Amino acid sequence: MASQDVPKTCKVILADTMAKKMLAEVKDTLATVQGANAGKPTLVAFLANDDPAAGQYAAWSKKTCEENGFNFDLRKVDKESLEDAVVTANNDDAVDGILVYYPIWPNNQQQDRYIQETVALSKDVEGLCHTHLFNMYHNVRFLDPPANLKKSILPCTPLAIVKALEHLQIYNPILAYGNRLFGKTITVINRSEVNGRPLAALLANDGATVYSVDITGVQVFTRGSGIRAPRHQVLDKAGWGLQDALPLSDVVIGGVPAENFKVPTELIRDGAVCINFSSHRNFDGPAIKEKASIYVPSIGKVTIAVLLRNLVRLIANRPHPEGTSEAAEKARNEAFKDD
């Protein structure tokens, strides 16, 4: 009797697979929001560091923009000129969205934060200015309550990981919107202000128990017992480390920007979902494929799709021009309402 083939334990999902579906939605939504005979939206990106990963991200962004009906304008500037360059773009009606590659001052987060606040709210495609971040942390979805027609912008990489989790069916569509991660335990290894902390907040606001891990220790983000709180709360887990969080986790998300860091495979529970969003491989590829049920080795192309999604949302949030068709107005109001 011939032996049956045993299916592979782990399914590897590539970012390109997830991004293609999102980009098709972006193109369709843009066409409806803008209407006929509209020009291509322009995304301006500022590069003021020498990070090779930022350069690669810029190259992918340019290619994706040009393939999907957007203009991409990369402006390389020195650090001292960056503020003036951003202000100029803020005041340029030909610019629809602004992107800045961080970190600019790796040892001075306050200077980076100042640049984030310099980008105009109406052009902040990354969702990093105070208004957008405040809304995200407080689980506020709209910029204009009670009308609720203008959606707040969410940070690109955290939202990309949320969209990846939706694609992987980690979100439970049977549950009410906003509660669809209830019962899931997730570890996020990174608590930066740009990626890790916003991601932990988004996941906890959607109902998950999230262990946020960095070199200072572990914090747990939750909406409390029975997810009764309207937004997440944060508690320190004194004495905890990866050895405590990983064995409890249904999903493990690595975002450590260091080549020599690897998530300890032996601590990961059998059948966990593992996602890497660092520019370095945080997981041991061959080993993790023997332990995880799903492995996503990178998220970059999904992040770029989210970037364009956010740009379309910024366009939809603008005041409606005179003569806007009923269909275009409806599309503006309903653009990506599932965030």
Side-chain angles (χ1 to χ4, degrees):
M1 181 177 177
S3 61
Q4 288 185 318
D5 290 335
V6 177
K8 291 182 179 179
T9 304
C10 180
K11 181 75 172 179
V12 177
I13 305 295
L14 300 180
D16 192 52
T17 302
M18 295 181 280
K20 282 179 179 176
K21 181 179 178 181
M22 291 183 64
L23 288 169
E25 181 191 22
V26 165
K27 288 178 72 173
D28 289 347
T29 305
L30 176 65
T32 310
V33 164
Q34 285 193 312
N37 304 317
K40 293 182 179 181
T42 295
L43 175 63
V44 169
F46 291 102
L47 183 61
N49 63 38
D50 55 3
D51 181 3
Q56 180 64 62
Y57 185 36
W60 284 346
S61 299
K62 178 179 173 63
K63 182 174 184 292
T64 305
C65 281
E66 292 175 349
E67 288 175 348
N68 289 277
F70 297 83
N71 295 318
F72 182 79
D73 182 359
L74 179 62
R75 301 180 183 181
K76 297 181 180 180
V77 298
D78 58 53
K79 297 176 182 179
E80 290 70 29
S81 304
L82 179 58
E83 180 184 0
D84 288 342
V86 169
V87 170
T88 298
N90 284 342
N91 295 325
D92 185 350
D93 290 340
V95 175
D96 297 288
I98 295 172
L99 163 70
V100 180
Y101 295 107
Y102 299 100
I104 304 158
W105 292 274
N107 299 318
N108 191 337
Q109 290 188 358
Q110 286 298 106
Q111 283 184 282
D112 278 11
R113 190 78 198 104
Y114 179 78
I115 295 298
Q116 290 167 19
E117 287 300 321
T118 303
V119 177
L121 177 69
S122 62
K123 298 187 180 185
D124 179 17
V125 76
E126 297 178 279
L128 294 177
C129 71
H130 175 75
T131 298
H132 291 313
L133 289 177
F134 178 92
N135 284 356
M136 180 198 66
Y137 284 123
H138 288 78
N139 207 13
V140 175
R141 303 286 179 165
F142 292 91
L143 292 168
D144 61 339
N148 292 345
L149 298 176
K150 298 181 179 180
K151 289 295 297 285
S152 196
I153 301 297
L154 297 172
C156 293
T157 298
L159 181 55
I161 295 169
V162 167
K163 290 301 174 187
L165 291 172
E166 289 178 351
H167 179 89
L168 301 174
Q169 300 179 14
I170 306 304
Y171 276 72
N172 186 346
I174 295 174
L175 298 180
Y177 178 71
N179 291 346
R180 291 177 176 175
L181 287 179
F182 184 41
K184 300 296 184 184
T185 300
I186 301 174
T187 290
V188 177
I189 311 170
N190 176 302
R191 198 158 59 241
S192 70
E193 292 300 319
V194 173
N195 292 320
R197 187 166 173 253
L199 174 60
L202 283 174
L203 299 175
N205 283 343
D206 282 341
T209 295
V210 183
Y211 293 110
S212 173
V213 183
D214 74 355
I215 58 173
T216 67
V218 179
Q219 293 180 332
V220 59
F221 289 55
T222 75
R223 278 173 47 205
S225 177
I227 58 172
R228 292 185 180 91
R231 66 183 181 94
H232 74 281
Q233 306 159 347
V234 183
L235 296 172
D236 289 319
K237 299 292 288 183
W240 273 48
L242 284 174
Q243 71 276 6
D244 302 289
L246 291 180
L248 303 175
S249 298
D250 305 295
V251 180
V252 179
I253 301 171
V256 178
E259 189 172 0
N260 60 355
F261 174 81
K262 290 289 185 287
V263 179
T265 306
E266 68 277 9
L267 296 178
I268 297 173
R269 66 190 294 182
D270 286 348
V273 172
C274 296
I275 298 175
N276 179 71
F277 74 86
S278 172
S279 56
H280 303 284
R281 293 292 171 92
N282 281 182
F283 296 91
D284 180 335
I288 204 62
K289 291 173 188 176
E290 299 297 321
K291 200 74 178 282
S293 59
I294 299 173
Y295 173 46
V296 180
S298 68
I299 209 77
K301 290 185 178 180
V302 182
T303 301
I304 295 168
V306 166
L307 184 73
L308 297 185
R309 201 173 189 271
N310 280 354
L311 182 55
V312 174
R313 171 158 285 149
L314 288 175
I315 294 168
N317 281 351
R318 292 175 186 163
H320 299 191
E322 284 188 25
T324 300
S325 70
E326 186 175 331
E329 188 164 342
K330 185 173 185 289
R332 282 172 173 263
N333 294 341
E334 297 183 354
F336 311 124
K337 278 227 168 175
D338 57 331
D339 287 354

